[in-house]
């Protein structure tokens, strides 16, 4: 229905960029419908949606012009799908061809858009770019280059070299500026010039004219502009082969010059239009599909046994596993390796180390872990600030270190580890530590602390994160970066994370950041307890063992010559105690030494292992020991938080001892 | 117990789905359902102070804007009570922690749920306060 409303608005005169945004949206909608219908076993519906999707694809690529008759045909097509959907809901059989009544106009449209020679026109070869770079343009980007050149719009290349710390924000500013001036077609990474630090990009944009002053470059930012393709180089014979822009049959503006471009789009529309990269589009389409399919399929799975639906369970199982695959693929697209954060830190540290004259031994751990791309975008700046602070304020100059008997090179260790539903980052240096006396004095001076009271080291460390604590001196020391520790804390807490500081005088500092993951793929050992299914992350599973004699909470079990205390999972989670269990899982911390805490966790049944898509629980539903859940064919599988379970098991065992 | 929910506080009302009970569930929450691809916590009415609603077989779930599901036995309809129909709860009424007041209409008393108070209460219950 929404698609039909969008189509109705397209009958009114609209600027070209608004039409383009509408067509892109309709393309995604029909693509989603196609996927959903296919997954749910309605092939004819899927085929019909595919046919409409093709028409929208031709429109968005500029191969079909949006006219009243085209829009009316598509409206009729969407109505046919809508009414077909209503019939399916009532349990009626699928028709062979949902679009039967439209076969003639649709056929005409498809024929109209088909190139005479059976191929498609591609003018990207006119771009003055290396062949390797041209190869990275997506099909959509190629089409936009072609359409825009034929419509008389020059294509420019803007090269920028941006600072590591602020490149996300600056790139967004450049993209939006180019979007306002015309159309941003692609953003491509480039090699950073040898004499520069930072990250370099090429932004390919079509706009009438472009000068450096249009781009709001900051001082020190290296910006270059080049004309990549001049529309006058488009062979005259091609000018009419591709309709210039998908647009309504609006009268042309008065007295346009031959190469006059369309009016630049309005800023508020630019956000919608400027998502040309196919990866982003595919991500969006899949996101919608997965969300809707997951809900529909889960509901079906639960309703099927009771309502006599008759759908074979095997088919539902296939849908479920197919969904998991799609979700995993989607998740992979959403995730980036922590390594990508580390790779930004390394050159920054090298550069700062050189500038400050402080040699640093930099080590990273946990780069293989993954975090969500949007999280990385928001997390990077506060993280980089903390690393800069560690170098600037934490590590001493070589002479001072030598005088203290330390090696002249400082040590900076940055590690990432998954702890429960959180990704935990540690920034550890072996510098001077926080000057707690000075912090206390400053706190009293600013009225944040009362004189004459004892303030714990934890309180004093925490004080540096308070708004207003920053002194003029500190601001000067981090000038040009625009953020203080209070801003870091605000950013991290806005992500639902936490920051914790600790230090020891002359021994070093530890800054620990935890940010929650909304979802992740976790390899689990599946077990059953109290008629519910649980997953234990495999990285925390030391051993799985079955025994003949029934075990009870508080028993000791022998595991490879080591005696371990056993506690039932039920006792850990506050569920009724089992009468006896014949299997246990040795639970420990990943990569921890043998002497670290290990517990034998009693379970009712071992089910096997598998990968599950973990979704975190909303805050109101946080339950002790549960990291999140995963929708499975037979209900929700609860993924245990191993660290929390270890703590709960120890507490329960202590209570047992106290009761004796 | 007949309740009033402001339509401004509602995201939507959906058909009831089987609730997955949370092991060691927090007070006030009976479990979760999958809603729009995410877990939605479902209220346990019986845990609310002064609430006489017993666990039953709800037909619908009212999804609040602040992402909390309220299981409903039935939906009566919509109304716009006149300003004079509103009354404060009596002082010391335990339901004050999740209701904003009552509405007297045609001899019937309707209780208005206050989502802000309700969610604040659930947070306090979770923290054991």
């Amino acid at each position: 229905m929404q698609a039909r409303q969008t189509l109705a608005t397209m009958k009114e005169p609209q600027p070209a960029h608004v039409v383009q945004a509408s067509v892109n949206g309709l393309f995604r909608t029909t693509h989603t419908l196609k996927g959903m219908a296919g997954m749910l076993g309605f092939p004819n519906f899927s085929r019909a949606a595919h046919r409409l999707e093709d028409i929208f694809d031709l429109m968005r690529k500029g191969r079909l012009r949006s006219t009243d008759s085209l829009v009316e045909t598509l409206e009729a097509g969407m109505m046919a799908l809508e009414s077909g959907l209503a019939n399916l809901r009532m349990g009626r059989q699928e028709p062979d061809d949902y679009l039967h009544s439209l076969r003639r106009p649709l056929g005409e449209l498809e024929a109209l858009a088909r190139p005479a020679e059976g191929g498609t026109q591609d003018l990207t070869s006119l771009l003055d770019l290396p062949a390797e770079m041209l190869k990275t343009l997506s099909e959509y980007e190629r089409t936009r280059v072609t359409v825009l050149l034929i419509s008389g719009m020059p294509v420019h290349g803007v090269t920028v070299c941006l600072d590591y710390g602020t490149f996300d924000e600056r790139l967004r500013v450049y993209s939006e500026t180019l979007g306002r001036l015309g159309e941003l077609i692609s953003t491509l990474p480039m090699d950073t010039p040898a004499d520069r630090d930072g990250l370099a990009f090429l932004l390919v944009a079509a706009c009438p004219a472009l000068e450096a002053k249009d781009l709001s470059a900051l001082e020190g930012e290296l910006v270059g502009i080049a004309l990549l393709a001049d529309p006058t180089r488009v062979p005259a014979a091609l000018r009419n082969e591709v309709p210039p822009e998908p647009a309504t049959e609006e009268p042309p503006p008065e007295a346009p010059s031959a190469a006059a471009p369309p009016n630049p789009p309005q800023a508020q529309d630019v956000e919608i239009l400027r998502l040309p990269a196919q990866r982003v589009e595919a991500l969006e389409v899949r996101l919608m599909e997965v969300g809707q399919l997951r809900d529909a399929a889960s509901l079906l799975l639960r309703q099927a046994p009771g309502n006599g639906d008759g759908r074979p369970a095997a088919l539902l199982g296939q849908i479920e596993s197919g969904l998991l695959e799609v979700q995993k693929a989607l998740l992979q697209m959403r995730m980036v390796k922590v390594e990508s954060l580390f790779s930004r830190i390394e050159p920054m540290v090298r550069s700062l180390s050189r500038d400050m004259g402080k040699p640093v031994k930099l080590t990273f751990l946990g780069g293989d872990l993954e975090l969500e791309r949007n999280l990385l975008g928001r997390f990077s700046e506060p993280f980089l600030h903390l690393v800069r602070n560690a170098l600037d304020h934490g590590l001493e100059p070589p002479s001072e270190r030598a005088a203290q008997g330390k090696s002249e090179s400082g040590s900076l260790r940055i590690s990432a580890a998954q702890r429960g539903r959180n990704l935990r980052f540690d920034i550890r240096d072996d510098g001077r530590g926080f000057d707690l006396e000075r912090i206390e004095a400053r706190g009293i001076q600013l009225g944040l602390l009362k004189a004459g009271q004892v303030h714990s080291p934890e309180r004093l460390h925490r004080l540096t994160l308070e708004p207003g604590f920053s002194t003029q001196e500190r601001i000067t020391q981090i000038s040009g970066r625009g953020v203080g520790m209070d801003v870091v804390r605000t950013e991290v807490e806005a992500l639902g994370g936490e920051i914790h500081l600790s230090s020891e005088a002359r021994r070093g500092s530890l800054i620990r950041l935890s940010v929650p993951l909304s979802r992740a793929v976790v390899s689990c050992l599946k077990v059953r307890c109290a008629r519910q299914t649980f997953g234990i992350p495999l990285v925390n599973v030391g051993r799985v063992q079955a025994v003949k004699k029934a075990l009870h909470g508080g028993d000791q079990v022998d595991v490879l010559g080591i005696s371990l205390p056993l506690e039932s999972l039920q006792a850990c989670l506050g569920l009724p105690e089992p009468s006896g269990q014949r299997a246990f899982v040795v639970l420990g911390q990943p990569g921890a030494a043998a002497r670290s805490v290990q517990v034998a966790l009693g379970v009712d049944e071992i089910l096997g292992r598998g990968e599950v898509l973990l979704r975190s629980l909303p805050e109101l539903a946080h339950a002790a020991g549960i990291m999140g859940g995963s929708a499975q064919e037979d209900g929700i599988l609860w993924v245990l938080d191993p660290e929390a379970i270890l703590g709960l098991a120890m507490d329960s065992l202590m209570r047992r001892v106290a009761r004796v | 117990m007949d309740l009033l929910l402001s339509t401004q506080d509602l995201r939507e009302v959906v058909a009831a789905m089987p609730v997955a009970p949370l092991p060691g569930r927090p007070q006030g929450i009976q479990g979760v359902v999958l809603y729009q691809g995410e877990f939605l916590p479902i209220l346990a009415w019986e845990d609310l102070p002064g609430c006489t609603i017993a666990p039953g077989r709800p037909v619908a779930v009212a999804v609040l804007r602040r992402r909390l599901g309220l299981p409903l036995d039935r939906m009566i309809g919509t109304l716009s009570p006149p300003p004079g129909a509103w009354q404060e709860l009596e002082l010391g009424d335990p339901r004050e922690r999740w209701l904003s007041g009552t509405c007297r209409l045609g001899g019937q008393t309707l209780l208005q749920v206050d989502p802000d108070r309700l969610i604040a209460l659930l947070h306090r219950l979770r923290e054991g306060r």
Side-chain angles (χ1 to χ4, degrees), chain A residues 15 106 151 160 192 254 295 315 334 356 379 395 413 433-434 469 514 521 523 607 617:
Chain A
L106 282 175
S151 71
V160 288
T192 307
E254 281 182 26
D295 286 356
L315 176 63
R334 288 167 58 108
M356 294 177 188
F379 185 62
L395 292 180
R413 282 188 292 153
F434 284 71
F469 182 80
S514 288
V521 174
S523 293
L607 300 175
L617 287 167

Side-chain angles (χ1 to χ4, degrees), chain A residues 28-169:
Chain A
R28 288 192 291 272
T29 303
T30 44
H31 183 83
T32 304
L33 285 171
K34 177 187 76 173
M36 282 176 66
M39 292 291 283
L40 292 171
F42 303 118
N44 298 346
F45 191 102
S46 178
R47 200 174 306 122
H50 190 176
R51 202 162 175 200
L52 293 183
E53 179 197 351
D54 280 348
I55 300 285
F56 289 122
D57 194 30
L58 291 168
M59 287 173 76
R60 78 193 191 116
K61 288 174 179 170
R63 304 247 308 271
L64 274 179
R65 183 192 286 267
S66 169
T67 62
D68 279 357
S69 62
L70 167 63
V71 170
E72 277 160 18
T73 303
L74 290 168
E75 270 183 315
M78 295 307 289
M79 277 177 71
L81 291 187
E82 208 175 308
S83 117
L85 194 60
N87 287 335
L88 289 177
R89 282 198 181 118
M90 286 187 278
R92 292 186 186 151
Q93 284 261 318
E94 271 206 294
D96 288 338
D97 184 0
Y98 286 81
L99 304 175
H100 180 75
S101 62
L102 296 170
R103 62 192 186 286
R104 185 170 295 171
L106 282 175
E108 284 170 5
L109 285 171
E110 285 155 359
L112 196 65
R114 198 176 301 131
E117 69 280 18
T120 55
Q121 190 60 56
D122 184 350
L123 296 181
T124 45
S125 57
L126 293 182
L127 294 178
D128 187 12
L129 285 175
E132 307 80 56
M133 219 166 221
L134 287 177
K135 277 184 204 162
T136 62
L137 292 174
S138 68
E139 189 194 340
Y140 180 77
E141 290 164 351
R142 286 170 173 272
T143 308
R144 293 311 297 158
V145 167
T146 304
V147 167
L148 289 160
L149 279 174
I150 286 174
S151 71
M153 185 84 87
V155 177
H156 302 270
V158 177
T159 52
V160 288
C161 187
L162 304 173
D163 186 64
Y164 288 113
T166 56
F167 83 92
D168 282 354
E169 174 62 20

Side-chain angles (χ1 to χ4, degrees), chain A residues 294-295 298-299 302 519 532 534 573 615-623 629 631 636 638, chain B residues 17-18 20-24 26 29 32 34-39 41 68 119 122-123 126:
Chain A
R294 162 65 71 188
D295 286 356
S298 293
L299 197 59
R302 277 155 188 73
R519 57 193 70 184
Q532 293 197 73
F534 296 92
L573 296 175
R615 289 163 196 274
S616 62
L617 287 167
E619 196 183 348
L620 280 177
H622 279 182
I636 305 288
W638 301 111
Chain B
M17 295 162 266
L22 270 163
I29 299 294
V32 294
L34 267 176
Y35 169 72
Q36 292 181 346
E38 304 290 342
F39 287 128
L68 172 68
I119 287 170
L122 291 173
H123 280 293
R126 195 168 66 85

